[in-house]
Amino acid sequence: MSECKRYDEASQRAYTARLRAWTGGAETPPLAFVDTYGCQQNEADSETLRGMLAEMGYAFTDDEYAADLILINTCAVREHAEMRVLGNVGALVHTKKAKPGQLIALCGCMMQEPEAVEKVKQSYRHVGLVFGPHALPRFPQLLYEALEKTGRVFDVDEGDNRIVEGLPVRRGEPPRAWVSVMYGCDNFCSYCIVPYVRGRERSRTPENILRETAALVADGYTELTLLGQNVNSYGKGLPGSPDFAGLLDAVCALPGDFTVGFMTSHPKDATPRLFDTMAKNPKVRRHLHLPFQSGSDRVLAAMNRGYTRAAYLGLIDRARAAMPGLNLTSDVIVGYPNETEEDFEATLALIRRIRFDNLFTFIYSKRPGTPAAALSDSVSDATKRERMARLLAAQKEIRAGR
Ligand code: SAH
Ligand code: SF4
Ligand code: F3S
């Protein structure tokens, strides 16, 4: 990676100041529209982008025709998410035509995916700025270059995976606030693109997290959610190897009237210690989102999930014993390549046994560059859709029987 691609606070501040001088000279502040796809991590990133834009002197709108800058924070997790982004970006030729000075910018996970970036380069020529999650801290410089230069600006290199603290954040109104505790993912589930687009796992220090959390509570935020792709592996590589249960305990020990939740837990790293920590802290919301993905051991192994059906069931029993009445939610994928009827029935049996309060259901989507994308698949789309319908019907029945 070239030296100039590294984040340097002073130079980003200088770009912010230049943009501020420019926006301050206008009769009314320029307007930005920030649109977000994907998970809470992306929501949190958009709050940072809005914070940066506010420092540069932008005001906000959600009218695409009024916006001087349209910034779309994209998600790559399933093809459907990408098609929605591309459909909406395609429609922006009209706003750009109506307002030729408008800058259309794309950022987020999809922009760290070479195939998607190439498509934007070739077929979406009204897009003037493209950058991936790794380049986010350098947004002031990238925006400055896109506004100054006549050509389009693309910054989609992989970053150095460092965490940049202290970026401005413009949040929604209280009570809810996101707090990222870690970034990236090292799990490489065979179907998933997140580790490729978000880079290696890295954790913020407990001190930085606690400082941010205390400030949020002081500002009146009372429903905090700690975010990470796998919060249960929080702390690896930090001095003293703090763990997530310890972090949760420390957050709860902060004074004030607030509740804490977290997303997402990976079953392979979830521990009884975590459940006991939740149970003993009244500030922790009684909700656990623990994606199981499949009820079949054969499919779980193919997915590289690192746990068995029995281990998953054991965790749920343990969590429920520690917290009677616990609200349980999960994610499940149907139609993983070569999923058999027997595999699928194991998934159905698992949801009937656990009776989740809510289930997020996905049909497997082939993601370029992942190991699963290289598999040939004997299951037809019609069978996948039919299994999805059966899964939804089973979950509906479970909910009706509550
Ligand atoms: N880190 C979280 C999940 C992040 S992605 C975890 O591991 O629990 C959110 C959900 O999207 C996943 O739990 C999975 O169910 C689903 N998902 C991810 N990749 C997918 C793919 N290629 N096709 C279909 N669903 C997928
Ligand atoms: Fe994707 Fe697995 Fe990481 Fe979750 S844990 S983000 S599903 S690779
Ligand atoms: Fe999507 Fe990126 Fe989140 S791929 S699900 S926005 S980490």
Side-chain angles (χ1 to χ4, degrees):
M1 210 187 59
S2 65
E3 207 41 47
C4 63
K5 287 277 170 86
R6 282 184 198 282
Y7 173 76
D8 163 47
E9 188 179 336
S11 81
Q12 295 310 316
R13 286 204 175 282
Y15 282 110
T16 299
R18 277 194 225 177
L19 284 159
R20 178 143 207 124
W22 170 71
T23 57
E27 232 165 77
T28 54
L31 296 176
F33 174 37
V34 182
D35 198 9
T36 312
Y37 293 76
C39 64
Q40 289 82 359
Q41 188 67 68
N42 254 18
E43 295 286 347
D45 284 351
S46 286
E47 293 181 347
T48 302
L49 291 161
R50 285 195 195 93
M52 292 164 137
L53 284 165
E55 278 197 346
M56 296 169 203
Y58 277 81
F60 297 92
T61 179
D62 38 25
D63 175 353
E64 289 165 354
Y65 280 91
D68 298 281
L69 166 69
I70 297 183
L71 177 58
I72 303 186
N73 194 1
T74 64
C75 170
V77 80
R78 285 172 291 274
E79 193 183 6
H80 178 71
E82 299 202 337
M83 298 315 285
R84 273 180 56 218
V85 167
L86 290 177
N88 288 350
V89 175
L92 294 178
V93 276
H94 304 296
T95 63
K96 174 90 180 157
K97 203 171 261 171
K99 190 168 183 156
Q102 183 176 65
L103 175 63
I104 298 170
L106 300 183
C107 63
C109 296
M110 200 175 153
M111 297 304 119
Q112 206 72 54
E113 192 194 337
E115 292 83 352
V117 171
E118 203 45 44
K119 204 178 275 179
V120 172
K121 234 178 219 166
Q122 300 304 332
S123 313
Y124 295 80
R125 296 186 167 270
H126 54 300
V127 174
L129 168 62
V130 168
F131 60 100
H134 295 293
L136 184 145
R138 287 185 285 104
F139 177 48
Q141 175 179 1
L142 296 170
L143 181 58
Y144 180 83
E145 286 173 358
L147 291 169
E148 275 292 294
K149 279 179 30 177
T150 42
R152 308 161 79 195
V153 174
F154 282 76
D155 192 324
V156 293
D157 289 355
E158 288 193 8
D160 53 6
N161 271 343
R162 62 177 273 201
I163 293 180
V164 175
E165 291 287 348
L167 296 174
V169 184
R170 191 184 153 103
R171 299 177 195 270
E173 292 297 309
R176 292 207 276 167
W178 311 118
V179 180
S180 294
V181 301
M182 59 194 299
Y183 303 94
C185 182
D186 284 353
N187 290 305
F188 291 95
C189 302
S190 62
Y191 51 81
C192 184
I193 200 165
V194 171
Y196 302 89
V197 294
R198 284 273 174 180
R200 296 293 57 73
E201 209 168 87
R202 55 231 182 257
S203 297
R204 295 176 70 196
T205 64
E207 295 72 32
N208 283 325
I209 295 166
L210 291 172
R211 196 175 309 126
E212 181 177 355
T213 313
L216 287 170
V217 173
D219 285 345
Y221 290 93
T222 54
E223 286 177 36
L224 311 178
T225 303
L226 309 182
L227 294 181
Q229 290 301 341
N230 174 11
V231 293
N232 299 126
S233 63
Y234 171 79
K236 276 189 207 148
L238 285 181
S241 301
D243 72 349
F244 184 67
L247 179 72
L248 197 58
D249 233 357
V251 169
C252 290
L254 290 170
D257 204 4
F258 63 92
T259 66
V260 199
F262 52 89
M263 289 192 92
T264 294
S265 283
H266 193 305
K268 97 178 149 54
D269 301 311
T271 56
R273 181 170 133 78
L274 172 67
F275 305 147
D276 294 341
T277 305
M278 292 173 75
K280 75 166 199 230
N281 277 301
K283 285 179 179 167
V284 179
R285 296 194 289 274
R286 294 290 178 263
H287 170 221
L288 182 65
H289 181 66
L290 196 64
F292 72 96
Q293 314 299 0
S294 170
S296 152
D297 278 338
R298 197 193 64 79
V299 175
L300 286 173
M303 287 177 164
N304 190 31
R305 288 289 289 179
Y307 55 87
T308 60
R309 173 195 179 87
Y312 184 84
L313 292 172
L315 278 176
I316 297 292
D317 288 347
R318 182 65 175 76
R320 279 182 162 155
M323 290 168 282
L326 176 68
N327 183 287
L328 268 174
T329 58
S330 197
D331 294 348
V332 52
I333 296 176
V334 294
Y336 185 79
N338 307 311
E339 179 191 62
T340 63
E341 176 61 24
E342 198 187 347
D343 292 326
F344 175 66
E345 279 173 13
T347 292
L348 281 182
L350 187 143
I351 69 159
R352 289 197 171 110
R353 153 123 192 237
I354 295 180
R355 306 177 70 82
F356 292 104
D357 293 276
N358 206 355
L359 200 55
F360 298 88
T361 52
F362 308 104
I363 290 191
Y364 166 75
S365 170
K366 189 171 175 168
R367 303 288 65 216
T370 60
L375 300 172
S376 61
D377 188 1
S378 58
V379 189
S380 70
D381 286 350
T383 303
K384 293 184 189 211
R385 282 196 300 273
E386 182 241 347
R387 284 181 188 161
M388 178 59 123
R390 285 163 65 199
L391 182 69
L392 292 173
Q395 177 61 14
K396 202 170 159 194
E397 208 176 277
I398 290 165
R399 291 193 54 142
R402 285 186 168 275

